[in-house]
Amino acid sequence: MDVMKKVPVREQDPKVRATNFEEVCLGYNDEEAKAEAERCLKCKNAQCRKGCPVSINIPEFIRSVQEGDNKKAYEIISEDSALPAICGRVCPQESQCEGKCVRGVKGEPISIGKLERYVADWARENGIVPEKPATTNGKKVAVIGSGPAGLTCAGELAKLGYEVTIFEALHEAGGVLVYGIPEFRLPKETVVKNEVENLKKLGVKIETNVIVSKSVTIDELFEEEGFEAVFIGSGAGLPKFMGIPGEQANGVFSANEYLTRNNLMKAFREGSDTPIARGQRVAVVGGGNVAMDAARTALRLGAKVYIVYRRSEEELPARAEEVHHAKEEGIIFELLTNPTEILVDENGWVKGMRCVRMELGEPDASGRRRPVEVPNSEFDLELDTVIMSLGTSPNPLISSTTKGLDVNKHRCIIAEEETGKTTKDGVYAGGDAVTGAATVILAMEAGKKGAKGIHEYLSNK
Amino acid sequence: MYQITKAEKLADKIFLMDVKAERVAKSCQPGQFIIVKMDEKGERIPLTICDYNREEGLVTIVFQIVGASTERMSKLQAGDSFQDFVGPLGVASEFVEEDVEELKGKKILFVAGGVGAAPVYPQVKWMHEHGIDVDVIVGSKTKDMLILENEMREVAGNLYITTDDGSYERKGMVTEVIKDLIENQGKKYDFCVAIGPMIMMKFVCLLTKQYDLHTIVSMNPIMVDGTGMCGACRVTVGDEVKFACVDGPEFDGHLVNFDEAMKRQQMYKTQEGRAMLKLTEGDTHKNGGCGCGGDK
């Protein structure tokens, strides 16, 4: 075995997986996990831990894996993370823990994400569940939203003895973990449901079908329902469109709609009542993880799929692993390409998309080189479906109905970074609702900090 | 689970249900709607709130069978439950926020077509409860399809009923009644609320534009989440693209692009038709005459 290289992880064959919704990555078995754990240098001054937003004691849990004590490994991870089976799958490890790994200086870093997933899956398969605190302190905290920020915040507070109720607007708990990230990256029935069930075992109550701001307001939660603090983790769910001609045509979807129909409503499954447009020729506009998810979903529903992105491969915001998987499965990348118009047939359906080629000019405000149009480079793609994946912004429903809760010009809730404290007394916030669309792990970090902020607030009250 | 305490057939393919949903009953206002999901495999279906009882925590919904999901829903009886029932969604009617004294000085016309009588009813009732008499036109294809007649009569100032085939009261479209009231009976209105099939709202708006009569319509496009997340319900209003679920469902009818909205409503018609065939033909559905390839 080459100690400089990661133990390769088994994956479904690209040709096979392009036709199903089963998980792509199969994960490590016991031998593979131990072999990978062997590679860890167990650094005293562990850089990986500094790269982890929730500061998991990585060298220690890896040591336990190496020693074959998976239960202990799970306990170590659980001290800092409530959702390891999820993070092991969707964290951008390459820019966090693994990005700092000393092994990575000369060779490949330790496969920390795959080891975390291995431990979490082992714990689930072996029925290890977190223990409910013996007593509660009788203080009620409301958590709005059951995505990664809300789940983490609720878990932390429950462990501290608070009586936590999560209010979820949709009919199922999990937020972006259930409506956004597809089954083939994050299995819902096994992985996500289990993490949510674990929270319930900690004593957290989850009330679905409650839209805070419509069904009940934050002020009513305080005044009528006896909550002493509120954490807002309502995410960034509002889709963006380009504003180009033809965008209202039938067959143009936001990535949010396309993914929600498929992931939350299970449109891909025989027997689901929710329809989805099974296009033959689909273009996904955008280059982030959500764009990759939408493209790979359309592919699995039987389409020929293009990713249309205005910058070059280097600037693709998606994780390298996702781009790699998408290419393996046969997604066609039309890079340095920008749509200018959606072409519509006489019945109001998409028939194509006019695009223009781009080249990279001077760096813009984001530090990335600004794409500029190449003159006379227009061309048409023949399509029946266009999926816009241009990013999302926070939903203004809560901020617009809660007096004293300030937002910035991007409609993000203003909150202190270390505590999540907002401009309204007793109200804390974190995750995409505060930062705009980011990652699962950063939302978890914010959920954790929010819990700490609320604990300090209620302890001193 | 949200229990159905009453289920009633109002007319052919039109059903009314009372559902126990305390949070919704407590906070809903005229103009808003809800989303139901029958069971595990069910769609999320946006539906009109027809009435509410805050004390008993009940919300009354009215729906028409338009596809396989609503067909399935129509079979539910009192005692059965919806798995999910969420709301209230959307923005309340503008007048709810207005000064009641000022409203009392206004002449208001409500126009309801078909099942549109259901969302119009709580608005007219709200007016009645605030001491405001309004004129109401209810249009129906035929006498047997007319719903909520008695309820409406109790709360409306003047009620004008018209049927397309003349089988009950007036004969003709709602637009003809509007014309008659304004041109022959000397009625003047400050604003109009028109709710019904998209095509009816379009023609009402074309007419009221001629009279320069401000007209509010309620849009019922395709939706998934109902909270602004998916954008399926986008409607062009003037120069802007609005989401009916969070910006509406009520908009200035003179600015709505109805032709586009009607096209967008057809998005899943083929799939809905196939699902309906599959449901009604059951095991005999295998010839693929509907274009589904015979299914498996």
Side-chain angles (χ1 to χ4, degrees):
Chain A
M1 195 188 90
D2 185 350
V3 75
M4 299 310 259
K5 286 209 162 128
K6 288 180 173 182
V7 172
V9 70
R10 286 165 294 116
E11 291 175 345
Q12 265 200 80
D13 181 83
K15 283 206 181 67
V16 176
R17 72 184 193 233
T19 62
N20 69 46
F21 279 89
E22 305 299 315
E23 197 172 9
V24 169
C25 175
L26 302 173
Y28 283 151
N29 62 24
D30 297 346
E31 291 73 44
E32 289 162 341
K34 271 194 182 163
E36 184 62 17
E38 289 279 347
R39 295 179 60 229
C40 178
L41 299 170
K42 321 287 180 316
C43 308
K44 283 226 162 53
N45 182 14
Q47 296 302 307
C48 51
R49 199 174 177 182
K50 292 179 191 161
C52 174
V54 295
S55 312
I56 292 172
N57 192 343
I58 295 166
E60 275 309 304
F61 100 71
I62 293 184
R63 186 191 305 278
S64 297
V65 172
Q66 192 184 337
E67 289 165 357
D69 192 348
N70 289 340
K71 185 164 185 286
K72 192 172 167 204
Y74 181 70
E75 285 161 5
I76 293 167
I77 295 174
S78 298
E79 281 171 23
D80 299 295
S81 170
L83 312 169
I86 293 167
C87 291
R89 287 173 165 84
V90 302
C91 260
Q93 289 100 7
E94 63 279 6
S95 58
Q96 298 178 356
C97 52
E98 294 181 24
K100 301 234 165 164
C101 174
V102 173
R103 263 279 181 231
V105 177
K106 283 191 182 145
E108 288 180 356
I110 306 297
S111 222
I112 300 169
K114 300 288 185 285
L115 287 174
E116 181 185 25
R117 168 195 162 138
Y118 163 78
V119 171
D121 286 356
W122 180 91
R124 181 181 67 248
E125 283 153 15
N126 289 277
I128 311 277
V129 293
E131 267 178 49
K132 190 179 173 176
T135 55
T136 67
N137 61 20
K139 291 181 179 173
K140 285 173 74 181
V141 180
V143 171
I144 304 169
S146 63
L151 291 178
T152 305
C153 184
E156 294 291 317
L157 288 169
K159 282 192 233 165
L160 290 166
Y162 290 92
E163 288 179 19
V164 185
T165 303
I166 300 182
F167 294 101
E168 166 57 45
L170 291 170
H171 57 268
E172 210 173 307
V176 73
L177 306 171
V178 297
Y179 77 74
I181 304 176
E183 190 72 23
F184 55 83
R185 277 217 291 140
L186 186 63
K188 312 289 163 237
E189 289 298 317
T190 47
V191 178
V192 179
K193 262 209 181 125
N194 185 69
E195 303 274 30
V196 171
E197 287 307 313
N198 280 350
L199 264 195
K200 289 191 190 160
K201 284 176 189 141
L202 281 173
V204 174
K205 284 188 212 126
I206 302 182
E207 197 180 331
T208 52
N209 298 323
V210 180
I211 301 167
V212 175
S213 77
K214 294 281 179 193
S215 315
V216 63
T217 63
I218 287 186
D219 287 327
E220 286 167 347
L221 289 177
F222 281 120
E223 289 157 20
E224 295 173 21
E225 302 199 18
F227 289 98
E228 295 185 51
V230 172
F231 177 82
I232 305 171
S234 51
L238 228 55
K240 290 180 186 152
F241 288 91
M242 290 188 79
I244 56 174
E247 218 170 6
Q248 295 289 89
N250 288 0
V252 182
F253 306 95
S254 71
N256 256 7
E257 177 183 355
Y258 197 74
L259 291 171
T260 301
R261 283 181 182 275
N262 206 64
N263 303 337
L264 176 72
M265 305 310 296
K266 315 279 180 225
F268 69 92
R269 235 179 242 167
E270 188 72 25
S272 166
D273 284 350
T274 302
I276 192 164
R278 288 179 186 251
Q280 298 296 307
R281 297 172 64 88
V282 177
V284 178
V285 182
N289 286 322
V290 176
M292 300 304 139
D293 286 345
R296 295 169 70 196
T297 297
L299 181 98
R300 283 160 171 76
L301 292 172
K304 177 176 183 182
V305 186
Y306 299 89
I307 288 268
V308 175
Y309 178 60
R310 64 197 182 122
R311 302 182 201 246
S312 72
E313 174 145 7
E314 211 173 297
E315 289 84 17
L316 278 172
R319 292 184 63 198
E321 182 177 315
E322 302 307 325
V323 176
H324 170 71
H325 279 154
K327 282 187 177 167
E328 271 187 341
E329 290 165 10
I331 307 278
I332 303 156
F333 282 72
E334 289 286 354
L335 300 170
L336 287 166
T337 303
N338 204 30
T340 56
E341 183 185 351
I342 289 164
L343 309 170
V344 188
D345 73 12
E346 65 280 7
N347 298 317
W349 279 87
V350 172
K351 65 172 181 183
M353 187 162 74
R354 186 148 296 160
C355 299
V356 61
R357 296 289 184 198
M358 311 293 279
E359 59 190 5
L360 294 179
E362 295 299 309
D364 63 13
S366 73
R368 297 177 298 180
R369 291 174 65 193
R370 181 195 300 276
V372 285
E373 283 185 16
V374 177
N376 305 316
S377 64
E378 280 196 343
F379 69 100
D380 293 347
L381 275 176
E382 192 192 312
L383 304 167
D384 53 30
T385 307
V386 175
I387 301 170
M388 292 294 176
S389 179
L390 310 160
T392 52
S393 56
N395 198 318
L397 282 182
I398 291 176
S399 52
S400 64
T401 55
T402 309
K403 278 201 189 102
L405 185 70
D406 291 350
V407 295
N408 67 18
K409 63 174 184 203
H410 301 295
R411 297 201 289 205
C412 297
I413 296 170
I414 297 171
E416 285 176 10
E417 206 189 318
E418 285 311 306
T419 61
K421 187 176 157 52
T422 68
T423 51
K424 188 175 170 76
D425 193 40
V427 178
Y428 292 73
D432 286 4
V434 169
T435 58
T439 62
V440 169
I441 187 71
L442 288 175
M444 285 180 54
E445 178 188 17
K448 213 173 155 179
K449 286 178 173 170
K452 209 171 135 235
I454 287 173
H455 182 49
E456 277 165 21
Y457 167 75
L458 291 179
S459 304
N460 298 325
K461 206 177 145 183
Chain B
M1 297 296 254
Y2 302 82
Q3 206 186 35
I4 298 164
T5 58
K6 181 170 114 180
E8 197 183 310
K9 187 171 181 176
L10 294 182
D12 185 33
K13 293 193 171 167
I14 304 176
F15 296 81
L16 174 146
M17 287 174 185
D18 283 351
V19 183
K20 189 96 176 161
E22 285 175 16
R23 285 194 187 277
V24 184
K26 183 170 173 249
S27 51
C28 64
Q29 295 284 358
Q32 293 187 297
F33 63 99
I34 55 97
I35 283 183
V36 293
K37 186 171 182 286
M38 263 182 80
D39 49 25
E40 193 55 39
K41 62 176 243 183
E43 281 185 83
R44 290 173 67 93
I45 308 172
L47 292 175
T48 285
I49 296 175
C50 174
D51 205 355
Y52 42 87
N53 183 328
R54 304 211 199 277
E55 288 73 42
E56 292 178 35
L58 294 176
V59 178
T60 307
I61 54 171
V62 168
F63 64 93
Q64 186 167 25
I65 296 177
V66 291
S69 290
T70 36
E71 166 77 32
R72 238 166 32 90
M73 228 171 87
S74 71
K75 304 279 188 275
L76 294 177
Q77 296 297 323
D80 293 340
S81 292
F82 287 109
Q83 183 180 293
D84 300 287
F85 192 96
V86 61
L89 296 157
V91 181
S93 301
E94 237 172 43
F95 60 75
V96 172
E97 301 293 326
E98 270 181 60
D99 184 71
V100 175
E101 291 312 311
E102 231 166 84
L103 267 181
K104 279 182 181 166
K106 287 186 179 170
K107 293 276 170 229
I108 308 164
L109 174 66
F110 282 88
V111 182
V115 255
V120 164
Y121 173 69
Q123 305 202 10
V124 175
K125 187 180 170 190
W126 187 96
M127 290 287 177
H128 178 69
E129 284 169 352
H130 288 81
I132 305 164
D133 277 344
V134 298
D135 284 359
V136 182
I137 301 170
V138 177
S140 171
K141 267 194 186 127
T142 176
K143 186 179 184 218
D144 293 342
M145 297 286 283
L146 184 68
I147 59 167
L148 303 168
E149 184 193 351
N150 295 334
E151 289 82 352
M152 202 69 96
R153 209 173 282 284
E154 271 177 38
V155 293
N158 298 302
L159 178 65
Y160 308 91
I161 293 172
T162 183
T163 48
D164 294 1
D165 61 0
S167 54
Y168 189 54
E169 302 219 346
R170 294 173 177 236
K171 180 179 192 300
M173 304 286 172
V174 291
T175 42
E176 289 164 49
V177 186
I178 300 175
K179 228 183 238 174
D180 179 49
L181 293 179
I182 293 179
E183 291 181 11
N184 304 329
Q185 304 194 26
K187 295 258 189 183
K188 283 198 167 59
Y189 296 105
D190 294 293
F191 72 90
C192 166
V193 177
I195 308 178
M198 209 86 91
I199 190 80
M200 177 209 97
M201 295 192 286
K202 176 183 166 174
F203 280 99
V204 167
C205 287
L206 285 173
L207 179 67
T208 56
K209 221 180 228 177
Q210 291 174 22
Y211 302 127
D212 201 19
L213 171 59
H214 177 53
T215 303
I216 305 286
V217 296
S218 182
M219 304 300 282
N220 53 343
I222 292 167
M223 284 184 193
V224 185
D225 62 288
T227 62
M229 261 177 49
C230 80
C233 66
R234 53 196 198 274
V235 178
T236 304
V237 182
D239 303 330
E240 287 179 282
V241 174
K242 298 279 193 187
F243 288 1
C245 67
V246 286
D247 301 321
E250 299 190 339
F251 296 106
D252 180 343
H254 294 166
L255 298 177
V256 170
N257 184 337
F258 285 106
D259 292 338
E260 177 190 283
M262 283 189 271
K263 273 185 189 155
R264 289 188 60 78
Q265 240 182 2
Q266 303 301 312
M267 189 108 67
Y268 296 101
K269 273 287 174 265
T270 326
Q271 292 181 49
E272 279 166 14
R274 285 175 192 164
M276 189 70 174
L277 272 179
K278 209 170 152 183
L279 187 76
T280 50
E281 295 186 356
D283 291 343
T284 64
H285 177 77
K286 51 182 173 256
N287 297 328
C290 67
C292 73
D295 268 317
K296 279 143 271 172

